[in-house]
Amino acid sequence: MLFATLLSAVSATLADECKAARDVYLQLNGNPQFAPPATDCCGSNDIFCKNNAVIFFSLRYDSLQGVIPESIGNLTSLEQLYLEEVKLTGPLPKSLSKLTNLKTINMRSVGIQDLGSIESQSLKTLNVYDSGLSVFPDISGLPNLSAIDLRNNSISSLPAVGHPKLNRLNLVQNKITGAVDLSSLPELVELDLSSNNLGAIPTNISKKIKTLRLNDIGYKGPFPDFSGFLALGTLSFGENTLDSLPKLNFAKLERLYLGNAGLKTNFPDLTGLPSLEDIILSGNQITIDSKISHPKLSYIDLQNCTISGPFPDFTGLASLKTLLLSDNNLEGKVPDYVSSLVFDMLLLNGNKNLSGPLPPITSSFVCDVTGTQLCLPIGVRENPCSAPICLNDVTASQCASLTRGLKEMGFTDESYNEQNCCGSRGVTCEEKGITQLYLQEKGLNGKLSSSFGDLTSLEIFFLNGNKITALPESVQNWTNLKVINLKDNSLTVLPSQVGSWTKLDSFVITRNPITQLPEQVSAWESLTYVEVENTKLTSLPDQVGAWKKLVSAYFSDNALESLPAAVGAWQEAKVIRFENNKLKSLPEEVSGWKSVTSLLLFRNQIESLPKGVGQWSALESFELEENALTSLPDEVGGWKKLQSARLIGNKLKSLPEQIGEWQAVTEIVLSANELVSLPEALSKLPNLILLEIVDNPTLKIPFPNPVSSPGFQSLQYCDVSGTGLCKSSAVVIPSACEITSVCSALRRRR
């Protein structure tokens, strides 16, 4: 009963506060559609609740206007009140004094000149920004106020406030003129009177002051005497006119801002500022003629300071994280010591006489060297500073040849420039010259310019997807070439000079009308990958036997009628593809393919396999569809690692019992052959998952009997449609095969 009573009381309190919040909103001409609910308003976007009470209320719609009604005093639990772009036409209500939990009032763009007298025993923070205030508010009724921020208003004077607890005062960008006496604010620790036309330093500033900002107050003269402010941690006195800067002594000062202060001075002596972390001197005339040292200094802003001469010595700044030197007159090189610093920001832009290689820079945020002559050393892969690549004589010469060659072929992309092609997309440079060039699909047409022969350092060249008709004799200079891709061009022949490519590792010339390979390919002894597919190739030269390191050989979709015995030298090859050619046989020497794991020979005219195929002990995948094979040699039993055998569309009549050695096989496809029998070994393959014997109408025998073997325990897919296979009453047929025909007595006797 007591609990129910308490719950009812709580609900009633929340309902009263929600009703008050709705009333305030509506009294300010708010749209009822967006008004807080009158009962449970805690789910509203502009109201936060705690313990079933409204503690935060925000009025922030530009359509709201008028006077805040006294009913706001019914929000008895309110702690924070926010008003944004509300057009107030009168002072704050007296009922605010009833809100004993109110801590913060924050108002922005409320368009009011005088707040009137405000009373609250609990209020600690009063912020009124951008609101047109012309009178400093009466805060005598706010005994616990500790911070007031009235920036960007039109207040013309600061009265003797006489407030014992106020410790933070911000009056930035008002219209205060003349002398300001702060003797009535003895507890002030933060003061900002920037952008007011004071003309002089306020008098009687609290000795407890820690943050003092007096930028742009119209001061002219020597640097003021702030020596009595021993607690000072931040001093900001920029945008004034100072005719001197003495040695400063502040033991606790961490931030010093003197930007655009008219100073003409040497970089200040920091020995009296042991705690300093940030210094801003931008927009002055600063000279630096000695090493700068400080144990804690991490942020230096010397932008637009007319600093001239060599890069300053900052080696004494072990904590430096931000260095801003934009728009000075620095010249020469950036010293190597910058590599030992880890920057959050490094700005060197606008120093037009800084030049040379930029040392490695570590920056997690920003690095800007635009408007300088700095460049990145050749070979640099990662650098946060965006700059062109430094060119040596060799690289500069090769850039000129590349640009000339492209122009000779009608390619005029300005990103490939003679002065610095190393910054172009697809061009990689090192000290020795251009090493990688990617010109795929650039619309290049005709014979490749002989100027490309000057790229003697070239190691990788992608030229695929163009309309190149011939290579120049100057390709003999590509003695460092390792990878070349000529796919999808119009080449009909390769020049004999390709024999100079003795380091070649990968060669691709697929989809070109080439008819033969030159004998000089014998020099490609390092070749591991070759792709010559969909060409007009009718034969391979014996010299391909020199490719003893070949790992992958792709010769599909050509017109090859035979293979030279020399291919037997490809003993390291793992993938060999000759599908869709006109091969009628394989030379006995293919027995040398002892490493082959994948062999594709489908759509040829092969009638038989040499006995040497038994040496293919590593073979895993064998595809010989659509040939004229009539049998498999017994030696296929040596394929103990075979996993897939696809023999569709041949003339096979039987399989050798040696296939029982294919213990790893998971797939056998024998469709569209002329089978008349199946070996019993077929039922002894424990890992066989897929078996296809479709369209073998001559196969009219009982299904193999899995006697004394694992049988077809793994079989998941079996298709024997289009055959005459039947089941014997003594044989258990795998369910996957779905054989319903029962063998007649005559067929069983056979």
Side-chain angles (χ1 to χ4, degrees):
M1 183 68 178
L2 178 60
F3 176 77
T5 302
L6 291 173
L7 182 61
S8 177
V10 169
S11 300
T13 300
L14 178 59
D16 291 342
E17 294 191 358
C18 289
K19 182 179 179 182
R22 182 178 178 85
D23 180 67
V24 170
Y25 183 87
L26 295 175
Q27 288 292 328
L28 290 170
N29 294 317
N31 188 333
Q33 181 180 353
F34 302 113
T39 53
D40 185 4
C41 58
C42 293
S44 173
N45 290 334
D46 298 304
I47 291 178
F48 298 154
C49 297
K50 182 179 180 181
N51 297 329
N52 285 310
V54 176
I55 62 169
F56 174 95
F57 187 23
S58 173
L59 297 161
R60 55 186 180 90
Y61 298 102
D62 56 5
S63 61
L64 299 179
Q65 60 181 345
V67 178
I68 298 177
E70 295 292 338
S71 58
I72 198 170
N74 294 325
L75 295 172
T76 55
S77 302
L78 192 65
E79 298 178 5
Q80 299 181 55
L81 175 62
Y82 276 64
L83 287 84
E84 183 174 348
E85 297 185 9
V86 176
K87 298 177 182 178
L88 295 181
T89 58
L92 298 181
K94 298 294 183 182
S95 61
L96 289 178
S97 61
K98 298 179 181 179
L99 306 181
T100 57
N101 294 298
L102 188 63
K103 302 289 192 300
T104 300
I105 296 178
N106 196 332
M107 297 187 286
R108 187 177 73 83
S109 300
V110 295
I112 188 170
Q113 294 185 355
D114 189 351
L115 290 178
S117 177
I118 309 171
E119 294 187 6
S120 173
Q121 296 295 311
S122 59
L123 194 68
K124 293 185 176 181
T125 301
L126 175 61
N127 301 324
V128 186
Y129 315 137
D130 308 308
S131 294
L133 275 179
S134 59
V135 178
F136 193 91
D138 180 0
I139 59 174
S140 59
L142 305 173
N144 289 298
L145 189 69
S146 61
I148 185 168
D149 190 335
L150 304 174
R151 72 184 73 179
N152 300 334
N153 284 289
S154 300
I155 297 171
S156 58
S157 63
L158 179 62
V161 184
H163 200 289
K165 292 186 178 181
L166 192 67
N167 54 40
R168 291 176 175 82
L169 175 62
N170 189 329
L171 287 164
V172 171
Q173 202 164 338
N174 276 274
K175 296 182 179 181
I176 302 173
T177 59
V180 173
D181 184 355
L182 298 174
S183 57
S184 62
L185 298 173
E187 300 299 318
L188 212 57
V189 295
E190 291 186 15
L191 173 65
D192 195 340
L193 287 170
S194 300
S195 299
N196 286 282
N197 192 23
L198 305 183
I201 306 301
T203 58
N204 299 309
I205 299 175
S206 167
K207 298 300 181 182
K208 298 179 181 180
I209 199 77
K210 293 181 179 180
T211 298
L212 180 59
R213 295 187 174 94
L214 298 171
N215 303 306
D216 187 26
I217 62 170
Y219 178 88
K220 297 181 180 180
F223 191 83
D225 182 7
F226 294 116
S227 59
F229 303 119
L230 302 180
L232 204 58
T234 298
L235 176 58
S236 193
F237 201 63
E239 286 89 42
N240 289 294
T241 304
L242 301 176
D243 55 27
S244 64
L245 181 64
K247 179 182 179 181
L248 303 180
N249 294 281
F250 297 100
K252 297 182 179 181
L253 192 68
E254 296 178 353
R255 287 166 291 278
L256 177 62
Y257 173 61
L258 297 174
N260 299 297
L263 287 169
K264 298 179 181 180
T265 182
N266 196 12
F267 191 87
D269 183 348
L270 304 181
T271 55
L273 305 173
S275 301
L276 192 65
E277 297 178 4
D278 301 350
I279 186 169
I280 298 176
L281 296 170
S282 54
N284 293 290
Q285 297 183 37
I286 305 296
T287 57
I288 302 177
D289 52 20
S290 61
K291 175 181 177 180
I292 298 176
S293 299
H294 196 281
K296 294 185 177 181
L297 193 62
S298 64
Y299 186 106
I300 297 180
D301 186 348
L302 290 168
Q303 299 181 91
N304 194 24
C305 284
T306 67
I307 302 171
S308 60
F311 200 91
D313 185 353
F314 296 114
T315 55
L317 302 176
S319 301
L320 189 61
K321 297 291 185 184
T322 298
L323 179 58
L324 312 181
L325 290 169
S326 304
D327 301 316
N328 283 289
N329 300 315
L330 297 175
E331 58 188 43
K333 296 183 177 181
V334 175
D336 291 338
Y337 75 77
V338 298
S339 296
S340 64
L341 301 172
V342 179
F343 291 101
D344 291 331
M345 186 182 297
L346 174 64
L347 301 184
L348 303 177
N349 51 297
N351 286 275
K352 61 182 180 180
N353 292 319
L354 275 180
S355 61
L358 188 64
I361 301 295
T362 302
S363 174
S364 60
F365 186 47
V366 173
C367 176
D368 190 349
V369 296
T370 56
T372 71
Q373 301 179 53
L374 293 169
C375 57
L376 299 179
I378 291 177
V380 171
R381 293 290 183 265
E382 294 184 6
N383 195 309
C385 306
S386 178
I389 303 296
C390 306
L391 298 185
N392 55 29
D393 292 343
V394 173
T395 310
S397 174
Q398 292 189 9
C399 274
S401 295
L402 172 60
T403 305
R404 182 172 60 254
L406 289 171
K407 287 182 178 178
E408 289 171 355
M409 300 188 70
F411 186 75
T412 57
D413 190 331
E414 295 182 358
S415 64
Y416 295 88
N417 61 80
E418 185 171 340
Q419 288 72 31
N420 200 334
C421 69
C422 297
S424 304
R425 178 178 295 179
V427 182
T428 298
C429 299
E430 297 182 15
E431 290 288 344
K432 56 189 176 185
I434 297 175
T435 57
Q436 298 183 32
L437 186 57
Y438 298 85
L439 293 177
Q440 59 266 44
E441 299 180 1
K442 296 296 184 183
L444 301 178
N445 195 354
K447 184 177 181 179
L448 188 69
S449 169
S450 60
S451 295
F452 282 86
D454 297 337
L455 309 183
T456 56
S457 306
L458 201 59
E459 297 179 1
I460 299 175
F461 191 14
F462 275 64
L463 197 55
N464 49 298
N466 290 286
K467 296 180 181 179
I468 305 299
T469 58
L471 299 180
E473 294 180 358
S474 61
V475 298
Q476 66 182 356
N477 299 327
W478 296 349
T479 56
N480 294 293
L481 193 65
K482 296 178 180 179
V483 176
I484 187 166
N485 190 327
L486 299 168
K487 187 175 183 178
D488 293 315
N489 278 283
S490 302
L491 293 166
T492 58
V493 66
L494 290 177
S496 61
Q497 287 77 11
V498 299
S500 66
W501 302 349
T502 57
K503 297 180 181 179
L504 195 64
D505 177 78
S506 174
F507 175 69
V508 178
I509 197 169
T510 290
R511 287 196 289 275
N512 281 267
I514 191 169
T515 58
Q516 63 180 1
L517 297 177
E519 295 179 355
Q520 288 76 12
V521 298
S522 61
W524 300 353
E525 295 181 358
S526 297
L527 197 67
T528 64
Y529 183 95
V530 61
E531 185 182 313
V532 187
E533 298 186 316
N534 202 354
T535 72
K536 295 184 178 181
L537 207 63
T538 58
S539 64
L540 294 179
D542 290 338
Q543 286 75 14
V544 297
W547 303 347
K548 292 180 172 60
K549 296 181 180 180
L550 198 63
V551 174
S552 300
Y554 293 81
F555 286 93
S556 305
D557 302 303
N558 293 299
L560 295 172
E561 297 180 357
S562 63
L563 299 180
V567 298
W570 299 350
Q571 296 188 18
E572 301 297 323
K574 296 182 180 298
V575 178
I576 299 176
R577 300 185 62 160
F578 281 101
E579 68 264 30
N580 203 22
N581 279 278
K582 298 180 180 180
L583 298 175
K584 295 182 179 180
S585 63
L586 298 177
E588 184 65 38
E589 287 76 9
V590 297
S591 61
W593 295 350
K594 297 179 181 180
S595 299
V596 66
T597 60
S598 178
L599 179 59
L600 284 74
L601 297 169
F602 56 84
R603 286 196 292 275
N604 280 282
Q605 301 168 23
I606 298 172
E607 297 177 356
S608 63
L609 297 178
K611 293 183 178 181
V613 299
Q615 301 296 316
W616 300 346
S617 57
L619 192 63
E620 297 177 359
S621 177
F622 181 58
E623 298 188 23
L624 207 144
E625 298 100 315
E626 299 181 44
N627 279 272
L629 204 63
T630 58
S631 64
L632 292 179
D634 293 346
E635 285 75 13
V636 297
W639 302 351
K640 299 185 185 301
K641 295 183 179 180
L642 190 68
Q643 297 177 18
S644 174
R646 301 183 65 86
L647 298 162
I648 303 171
N650 283 277
K651 298 180 180 181
L652 291 172
K653 292 182 169 30
S654 63
L655 298 176
E657 287 290 341
Q658 283 77 6
I659 71 169
E661 300 296 326
W662 297 354
Q663 295 293 293
V665 75
T666 61
E667 175 187 55
I668 297 178
V669 183
L670 299 166
S671 301
N673 277 279
E674 299 175 3
L675 293 171
V676 296
S677 66
L678 292 175
E680 289 213 0
L682 189 64
S683 65
K684 301 177 182 180
L685 304 176
N687 294 298
L688 187 62
I689 295 174
L690 182 148
L691 176 63
E692 273 191 22
I693 320 177
V694 175
D695 295 332
N696 279 274
T698 54
L699 190 60
K700 299 178 179 180
I701 61 170
F703 194 80
N705 190 351
V707 293
S708 65
S709 71
F712 298 103
Q713 292 179 2
S714 300
L715 199 62
Q716 297 177 14
Y717 178 85
C718 174
D719 191 345
V720 297
S721 58
T723 73
L725 284 172
C726 60
K727 63 179 179 178
S728 169
S729 59
V731 176
V732 179
I733 302 298
S735 59
C737 292
E738 298 183 356
I739 298 175
T740 58
S741 176
V742 178
C743 300
S744 67
L746 179 60
R747 289 171 66 183
R748 286 199 296 272
R749 285 197 298 271
R750 289 179 182 175

